[in-house]
Amino acid sequence: MSGKQKVAAVRCAGYDQALIGKKLDLLMTAIGADTLIQPGMSVLIKPNLLSAKTPEEFTTTHPEVLRAVIRYVHQRGGSVTLADSPAGRFTPDSIQRVYQKTGLRALAQEEGCRLNENLSSVDSGLRTGSEPVPVLECVAQADLIIDCCKFKSHSYTVASGAVKNMFGVIPGLVKAQMHARFPQRESFCRFLCQFCAHIKPQLCVMDAVEGMQGNGPSGGDRYDGQRLLAALDPFALDYGALSLLGINPDQTPIHREAVKLGLVDPEAIELIAPEESWESLIRYDFRLPETMKGLIQLIPSPLAALRRHFAPYPKPDASRCLGCGECVRDCPVQAITLVDHKAVVDRRQCIRCYCCQEVCPVHVVQLKR
């Protein structure tokens, strides 16, 4: 038996319930997860619920992938809670809208599992300097955490997978505060790695059946990925997914920081395709965000201020802006104001985290150079 971290992937043409269940079983056996869940365990499943989007908008983890994971846990005697803290405000009304729109309300009723409605948080035990990092209380109460992510492009971190998904257990606008504490991309991605390693999801499943490419994680284009992946380790899973979709992992700041921290070693990862060769599953047609274009990528990371100066800046389209104020509330450094009911970005103050693009409900925040 290999001592390497196993990442398994299968071809999956759609979200047919029976097909997803069959493919998940193959993945679980391939990565050695069959004995992970024990009777009586309280299992928290962390999907990507970025915002109140329907499954057809390819922004959130698809309900059928979650259904298969829930059934897998129930068959082994575990109980399930689904939990996330979406981007922006975290209130009883906002989380109910997200559960309803993403299909999770109906899913929980059909499968007999809990939706977390407890907005309380507790100290995670991790510190950023002297400041504590809070997490949802249900995370601290779980016996086991399953990271059930969606593969998407990301204008700030290049890609969003298992490691980035765990950022969502930090409640509400505290996530924006983390961007303010770590205004440089490398330091923020280093924090993401440290936080994910601290929370320690023990099982990870990635929905890449349909993903998002281009200017993700909310305003990009549909990507017909037709892949489902799993691993016991989130850092290994992200490495496998990036490799599978033709993206050089070293191009992505989360992977680079994870390597520096000793959280992932590509030489210690075994890539498995239970039904065919791994090479036959690889694709090279995934489109990266616009922030990866141009000479800015040649500027070394120690010159972070210079890189930020030349990076694309967010500019809301005034002709389509609703003046809802979501971007104003979510901006970590208060670089956005409403002028005549339209969002305006102060380029000098902006740290290019693109949170405004992520939370805009009508996708009017464009990237300009």
PDB file of all heavy atoms in Angstrom, residues 9-10 208 223 227-229 238-247 271 278-284:
ATOM      1  N   ALA A   9      -9.959  10.708  -9.517  1.00  0.00           N
ATOM      2  CA  ALA A   9     -10.840  11.463 -10.409  1.00  0.00           C
ATOM      3  C   ALA A   9     -11.543  10.512 -11.356  1.00  0.00           C
ATOM      4  O   ALA A   9     -10.977   9.495 -11.782  1.00  0.00           O
ATOM      5  CB  ALA A   9     -10.041  12.495 -11.202  1.00  0.00           C
ATOM      6  N   VAL A  10     -12.786  10.856 -11.685  1.00  0.00           N
ATOM      7  CA  VAL A  10     -13.560  10.083 -12.655  1.00  0.00           C
ATOM      8  C   VAL A  10     -14.240  11.035 -13.628  1.00  0.00           C
ATOM      9  O   VAL A  10     -14.502  12.198 -13.311  1.00  0.00           O
ATOM     10  CB  VAL A  10     -14.633   9.202 -11.971  1.00  0.00           C
ATOM     11  CG1 VAL A  10     -13.998   8.067 -11.181  1.00  0.00           C
ATOM     12  CG2 VAL A  10     -15.545  10.036 -11.081  1.00  0.00           C
ATOM     13  N   ALA A 208     -16.547  19.166 -10.120  1.00  0.00           N
ATOM     14  CA  ALA A 208     -16.046  19.800 -11.343  1.00  0.00           C
ATOM     15  C   ALA A 208     -16.828  19.276 -12.542  1.00  0.00           C
ATOM     16  O   ALA A 208     -16.325  19.282 -13.671  1.00  0.00           O
ATOM     17  CB  ALA A 208     -14.554  19.544 -11.507  1.00  0.00           C
ATOM     18  N   TYR A 223     -18.148  26.201 -17.276  1.00  0.00           N
ATOM     19  CA  TYR A 223     -17.123  25.289 -17.773  1.00  0.00           C
ATOM     20  C   TYR A 223     -17.653  23.875 -17.663  1.00  0.00           C
ATOM     21  O   TYR A 223     -17.979  23.403 -16.569  1.00  0.00           O
ATOM     22  CB  TYR A 223     -15.823  25.427 -16.975  1.00  0.00           C
ATOM     23  CG  TYR A 223     -14.734  24.488 -17.458  1.00  0.00           C
ATOM     24  CD1 TYR A 223     -14.120  24.706 -18.686  1.00  0.00           C
ATOM     25  CD2 TYR A 223     -14.339  23.398 -16.703  1.00  0.00           C
ATOM     26  CE1 TYR A 223     -13.125  23.851 -19.153  1.00  0.00           C
ATOM     27  CE2 TYR A 223     -13.345  22.542 -17.150  1.00  0.00           C
ATOM     28  CZ  TYR A 223     -12.744  22.772 -18.377  1.00  0.00           C
ATOM     29  OH  TYR A 223     -11.766  21.921 -18.833  1.00  0.00           O
ATOM     30  N   ARG A 227     -15.977  16.247 -14.576  1.00  0.00           N
ATOM     31  CA  ARG A 227     -15.060  15.524 -13.697  1.00  0.00           C
ATOM     32  C   ARG A 227     -15.564  15.609 -12.253  1.00  0.00           C
ATOM     33  O   ARG A 227     -16.120  16.623 -11.821  1.00  0.00           O
ATOM     34  CB  ARG A 227     -13.640  16.109 -13.753  1.00  0.00           C
ATOM     35  CG  ARG A 227     -13.028  16.166 -15.148  1.00  0.00           C
ATOM     36  CD  ARG A 227     -12.686  14.794 -15.693  1.00  0.00           C
ATOM     37  NE  ARG A 227     -11.989  14.869 -16.963  1.00  0.00           N
ATOM     38  CZ  ARG A 227     -12.575  14.849 -18.163  1.00  0.00           C
ATOM     39  NH1 ARG A 227     -13.901  14.773 -18.243  1.00  0.00           N
ATOM     40  NH2 ARG A 227     -11.858  14.906 -19.276  1.00  0.00           N
ATOM     41  N   LEU A 228     -15.340  14.544 -11.516  1.00  0.00           N
ATOM     42  CA  LEU A 228     -15.618  14.489 -10.082  1.00  0.00           C
ATOM     43  C   LEU A 228     -14.357  13.967  -9.421  1.00  0.00           C
ATOM     44  O   LEU A 228     -13.764  12.983  -9.897  1.00  0.00           O
ATOM     45  CB  LEU A 228     -16.807  13.558  -9.809  1.00  0.00           C
ATOM     46  CG  LEU A 228     -17.482  13.609  -8.435  1.00  0.00           C
ATOM     47  CD1 LEU A 228     -18.148  14.967  -8.205  1.00  0.00           C
ATOM     48  CD2 LEU A 228     -18.530  12.502  -8.311  1.00  0.00           C
ATOM     49  N   LEU A 229     -13.923  14.620  -8.341  1.00  0.00           N
ATOM     50  CA  LEU A 229     -12.660  14.249  -7.697  1.00  0.00           C
ATOM     51  C   LEU A 229     -12.850  14.087  -6.196  1.00  0.00           C
ATOM     52  O   LEU A 229     -13.783  14.641  -5.608  1.00  0.00           O
ATOM     53  CB  LEU A 229     -11.581  15.316  -7.933  1.00  0.00           C
ATOM     54  CG  LEU A 229     -11.147  15.632  -9.355  1.00  0.00           C
ATOM     55  CD1 LEU A 229     -12.008  16.737  -9.963  1.00  0.00           C
ATOM     56  CD2 LEU A 229      -9.667  16.057  -9.391  1.00  0.00           C
ATOM     57  N   ASP A 238      -6.535  19.880  -4.396  1.00  0.00           N
ATOM     58  CA  ASP A 238      -6.375  21.055  -5.251  1.00  0.00           C
ATOM     59  C   ASP A 238      -5.247  20.842  -6.264  1.00  0.00           C
ATOM     60  O   ASP A 238      -5.377  21.217  -7.436  1.00  0.00           O
ATOM     61  CB  ASP A 238      -6.088  22.291  -4.401  1.00  0.00           C
ATOM     62  CG  ASP A 238      -7.340  22.861  -3.760  1.00  0.00           C
ATOM     63  OD1 ASP A 238      -8.442  22.339  -4.007  1.00  0.00           O
ATOM     64  OD2 ASP A 238      -7.214  23.845  -2.993  1.00  0.00           O
ATOM     65  N   TYR A 239      -4.156  20.243  -5.821  1.00  0.00           N
ATOM     66  CA  TYR A 239      -3.055  19.963  -6.748  1.00  0.00           C
ATOM     67  C   TYR A 239      -3.526  19.047  -7.870  1.00  0.00           C
ATOM     68  O   TYR A 239      -3.246  19.288  -9.051  1.00  0.00           O
ATOM     69  CB  TYR A 239      -1.884  19.316  -6.002  1.00  0.00           C
ATOM     70  CG  TYR A 239      -0.772  18.855  -6.915  1.00  0.00           C
ATOM     71  CD1 TYR A 239       0.197  19.754  -7.364  1.00  0.00           C
ATOM     72  CD2 TYR A 239      -0.711  17.530  -7.345  1.00  0.00           C
ATOM     73  CE1 TYR A 239       1.210  19.334  -8.219  1.00  0.00           C
ATOM     74  CE2 TYR A 239       0.293  17.109  -8.209  1.00  0.00           C
ATOM     75  CZ  TYR A 239       1.241  18.008  -8.641  1.00  0.00           C
ATOM     76  OH  TYR A 239       2.243  17.596  -9.496  1.00  0.00           O
ATOM     77  N   GLY A 240      -4.263  17.996  -7.512  1.00  0.00           N
ATOM     78  CA  GLY A 240      -4.760  17.064  -8.515  1.00  0.00           C
ATOM     79  C   GLY A 240      -5.714  17.721  -9.491  1.00  0.00           C
ATOM     80  O   GLY A 240      -5.643  17.495 -10.708  1.00  0.00           O
ATOM     81  N   ALA A 241      -6.602  18.567  -8.980  1.00  0.00           N
ATOM     82  CA  ALA A 241      -7.583  19.227  -9.841  1.00  0.00           C
ATOM     83  C   ALA A 241      -6.906  20.192 -10.807  1.00  0.00           C
ATOM     84  O   ALA A 241      -7.252  20.248 -11.996  1.00  0.00           O
ATOM     85  CB  ALA A 241      -8.606  19.962  -8.979  1.00  0.00           C
ATOM     86  N   LEU A 242      -5.955  20.966 -10.313  1.00  0.00           N
ATOM     87  CA  LEU A 242      -5.235  21.902 -11.175  1.00  0.00           C
ATOM     88  C   LEU A 242      -4.502  21.151 -12.278  1.00  0.00           C
ATOM     89  O   LEU A 242      -4.560  21.543 -13.457  1.00  0.00           O
ATOM     90  CB  LEU A 242      -4.243  22.727 -10.344  1.00  0.00           C
ATOM     91  CG  LEU A 242      -4.855  23.714  -9.354  1.00  0.00           C
ATOM     92  CD1 LEU A 242      -3.797  24.203  -8.370  1.00  0.00           C
ATOM     93  CD2 LEU A 242      -5.508  24.890 -10.067  1.00  0.00           C
ATOM     94  N   SER A 243      -3.834  20.067 -11.913  1.00  0.00           N
ATOM     95  CA  SER A 243      -3.110  19.271 -12.895  1.00  0.00           C
ATOM     96  C   SER A 243      -4.065  18.667 -13.919  1.00  0.00           C
ATOM     97  O   SER A 243      -3.769  18.625 -15.115  1.00  0.00           O
ATOM     98  CB  SER A 243      -2.328  18.152 -12.188  1.00  0.00           C
ATOM     99  OG  SER A 243      -1.451  18.681 -11.216  1.00  0.00           O
ATOM    100  N   LEU A 244      -5.220  18.239 -13.447  1.00  0.00           N
ATOM    101  CA  LEU A 244      -6.205  17.586 -14.309  1.00  0.00           C
ATOM    102  C   LEU A 244      -6.780  18.559 -15.344  1.00  0.00           C
ATOM    103  O   LEU A 244      -7.101  18.166 -16.469  1.00  0.00           O
ATOM    104  CB  LEU A 244      -7.342  17.015 -13.459  1.00  0.00           C
ATOM    105  CG  LEU A 244      -8.302  16.050 -14.141  1.00  0.00           C
ATOM    106  CD1 LEU A 244      -7.618  14.725 -14.433  1.00  0.00           C
ATOM    107  CD2 LEU A 244      -9.530  15.818 -13.276  1.00  0.00           C
ATOM    108  N   LEU A 245      -6.902  19.823 -14.963  1.00  0.00           N
ATOM    109  CA  LEU A 245      -7.505  20.814 -15.848  1.00  0.00           C
ATOM    110  C   LEU A 245      -6.461  21.659 -16.576  1.00  0.00           C
ATOM    111  O   LEU A 245      -6.749  22.740 -17.078  1.00  0.00           O
ATOM    112  CB  LEU A 245      -8.474  21.695 -15.062  1.00  0.00           C
ATOM    113  CG  LEU A 245      -9.682  20.923 -14.501  1.00  0.00           C
ATOM    114  CD1 LEU A 245     -10.546  21.807 -13.634  1.00  0.00           C
ATOM    115  CD2 LEU A 245     -10.510  20.310 -15.631  1.00  0.00           C
ATOM    116  N   GLY A 246      -5.238  21.147 -16.620  1.00  0.00           N
ATOM    117  CA  GLY A 246      -4.210  21.769 -17.432  1.00  0.00           C
ATOM    118  C   GLY A 246      -3.656  23.069 -16.895  1.00  0.00           C
ATOM    119  O   GLY A 246      -3.103  23.880 -17.641  1.00  0.00           O
ATOM    120  N   ILE A 247      -3.782  23.285 -15.574  1.00  0.00           N
ATOM    121  CA  ILE A 247      -3.292  24.507 -14.949  1.00  0.00           C
ATOM    122  C   ILE A 247      -2.021  24.170 -14.172  1.00  0.00           C
ATOM    123  O   ILE A 247      -2.016  23.230 -13.363  1.00  0.00           O
ATOM    124  CB  ILE A 247      -4.340  25.100 -13.989  1.00  0.00           C
ATOM    125  CG1 ILE A 247      -5.660  25.357 -14.733  1.00  0.00           C
ATOM    126  CG2 ILE A 247      -3.830  26.376 -13.343  1.00  0.00           C
ATOM    127  CD1 ILE A 247      -6.830  25.630 -13.807  1.00  0.00           C
ATOM    128  N   LEU A 271      -1.882  10.207  -8.139  1.00  0.00           N
ATOM    129  CA  LEU A 271      -3.061  10.562  -8.922  1.00  0.00           C
ATOM    130  C   LEU A 271      -3.684   9.298  -9.497  1.00  0.00           C
ATOM    131  O   LEU A 271      -3.020   8.542 -10.222  1.00  0.00           O
ATOM    132  CB  LEU A 271      -2.683  11.541 -10.039  1.00  0.00           C
ATOM    133  CG  LEU A 271      -1.975  12.824  -9.564  1.00  0.00           C
ATOM    134  CD1 LEU A 271      -1.542  13.666 -10.751  1.00  0.00           C
ATOM    135  CD2 LEU A 271      -2.882  13.631  -8.641  1.00  0.00           C
ATOM    136  N   TRP A 278      -5.089   8.359 -15.887  1.00  0.00           N
ATOM    137  CA  TRP A 278      -5.164   9.755 -15.473  1.00  0.00           C
ATOM    138  C   TRP A 278      -4.918  10.681 -16.673  1.00  0.00           C
ATOM    139  O   TRP A 278      -5.596  11.698 -16.840  1.00  0.00           O
ATOM    140  CB  TRP A 278      -4.135  10.031 -14.377  1.00  0.00           C
ATOM    141  CG  TRP A 278      -4.190  11.430 -13.853  1.00  0.00           C
ATOM    142  CD1 TRP A 278      -3.523  12.523 -14.345  1.00  0.00           C
ATOM    143  CD2 TRP A 278      -4.983  11.924 -12.768  1.00  0.00           C
ATOM    144  NE1 TRP A 278      -3.841  13.659 -13.621  1.00  0.00           N
ATOM    145  CE2 TRP A 278      -4.735  13.311 -12.643  1.00  0.00           C
ATOM    146  CE3 TRP A 278      -5.867  11.325 -11.869  1.00  0.00           C
ATOM    147  CZ2 TRP A 278      -5.338  14.102 -11.671  1.00  0.00           C
ATOM    148  CZ3 TRP A 278      -6.474  12.112 -10.891  1.00  0.00           C
ATOM    149  CH2 TRP A 278      -6.215  13.482 -10.797  1.00  0.00           C
ATOM    150  N   GLU A 279      -3.991  10.294 -17.536  1.00  0.00           N
ATOM    151  CA  GLU A 279      -3.648  11.134 -18.680  1.00  0.00           C
ATOM    152  C   GLU A 279      -4.844  11.343 -19.602  1.00  0.00           C
ATOM    153  O   GLU A 279      -5.011  12.420 -20.196  1.00  0.00           O
ATOM    154  CB  GLU A 279      -2.485  10.502 -19.461  1.00  0.00           C
ATOM    155  CG  GLU A 279      -1.137  10.564 -18.759  1.00  0.00           C
ATOM    156  CD  GLU A 279      -1.051   9.634 -17.539  1.00  0.00           C
ATOM    157  OE1 GLU A 279      -1.829   8.650 -17.496  1.00  0.00           O
ATOM    158  OE2 GLU A 279      -0.234   9.916 -16.647  1.00  0.00           O
ATOM    159  N   SER A 280      -5.700  10.340 -19.720  1.00  0.00           N
ATOM    160  CA  SER A 280      -6.863  10.464 -20.608  1.00  0.00           C
ATOM    161  C   SER A 280      -7.914  11.418 -20.054  1.00  0.00           C
ATOM    162  O   SER A 280      -8.796  11.876 -20.791  1.00  0.00           O
ATOM    163  CB  SER A 280      -7.492   9.086 -20.852  1.00  0.00           C
ATOM    164  OG  SER A 280      -8.078   8.573 -19.657  1.00  0.00           O
ATOM    165  N   LEU A 281      -7.828  11.739 -18.752  1.00  0.00           N
ATOM    166  CA  LEU A 281      -8.784  12.654 -18.128  1.00  0.00           C
ATOM    167  C   LEU A 281      -8.339  14.112 -18.201  1.00  0.00           C
ATOM    168  O   LEU A 281      -9.137  15.022 -17.981  1.00  0.00           O
ATOM    169  CB  LEU A 281      -8.973  12.287 -16.647  1.00  0.00           C
ATOM    170  CG  LEU A 281      -9.805  11.050 -16.321  1.00  0.00           C
ATOM    171  CD1 LEU A 281      -9.756  10.779 -14.821  1.00  0.00           C
ATOM    172  CD2 LEU A 281     -11.252  11.219 -16.783  1.00  0.00           C
ATOM    173  N   ILE A 282      -7.074  14.346 -18.506  1.00  0.00           N
ATOM    174  CA  ILE A 282      -6.529  15.710 -18.472  1.00  0.00           C
ATOM    175  C   ILE A 282      -7.128  16.565 -19.589  1.00  0.00           C
ATOM    176  O   ILE A 282      -7.302  16.106 -20.721  1.00  0.00           O
ATOM    177  CB  ILE A 282      -4.994  15.688 -18.587  1.00  0.00           C
ATOM    178  CG1 ILE A 282      -4.383  14.986 -17.366  1.00  0.00           C
ATOM    179  CG2 ILE A 282      -4.430  17.110 -18.701  1.00  0.00           C
ATOM    180  CD1 ILE A 282      -2.877  14.823 -17.447  1.00  0.00           C
ATOM    181  N   ARG A 283      -7.441  17.807 -19.238  1.00  0.00           N
ATOM    182  CA  ARG A 283      -7.965  18.776 -20.203  1.00  0.00           C
ATOM    183  C   ARG A 283      -7.082  20.020 -20.206  1.00  0.00           C
ATOM    184  O   ARG A 283      -6.423  20.328 -19.213  1.00  0.00           O
ATOM    185  CB  ARG A 283      -9.411  19.144 -19.855  1.00  0.00           C
ATOM    186  CG  ARG A 283     -10.336  17.946 -19.842  1.00  0.00           C
ATOM    187  CD  ARG A 283     -11.758  18.330 -19.545  1.00  0.00           C
ATOM    188  NE  ARG A 283     -12.263  19.301 -20.524  1.00  0.00           N
ATOM    189  CZ  ARG A 283     -13.547  19.613 -20.643  1.00  0.00           C
ATOM    190  NH1 ARG A 283     -14.447  19.039 -19.868  1.00  0.00           N
ATOM    191  NH2 ARG A 283     -13.937  20.491 -21.540  1.00  0.00           N
ATOM    192  N   TYR A 284      -7.120  20.739 -21.321  1.00  0.00           N
ATOM    193  CA  TYR A 284      -6.277  21.933 -21.458  1.00  0.00           C
ATOM    194  C   TYR A 284      -7.076  23.143 -21.942  1.00  0.00           C
ATOM    195  O   TYR A 284      -6.509  24.068 -22.523  1.00  0.00           O
ATOM    196  CB  TYR A 284      -5.136  21.651 -22.438  1.00  0.00           C
ATOM    197  CG  TYR A 284      -4.178  20.592 -21.954  1.00  0.00           C
ATOM    198  CD1 TYR A 284      -4.294  19.278 -22.393  1.00  0.00           C
ATOM    199  CD2 TYR A 284      -3.170  20.901 -21.041  1.00  0.00           C
ATOM    200  CE1 TYR A 284      -3.422  18.298 -21.948  1.00  0.00           C
ATOM    201  CE2 TYR A 284      -2.295  19.932 -20.592  1.00  0.00           C
ATOM    202  CZ  TYR A 284      -2.428  18.631 -21.047  1.00  0.00           C
ATOM    203  OH  TYR A 284      -1.568  17.662 -20.594  1.00  0.00           O
TER     204      TYR A 284
END
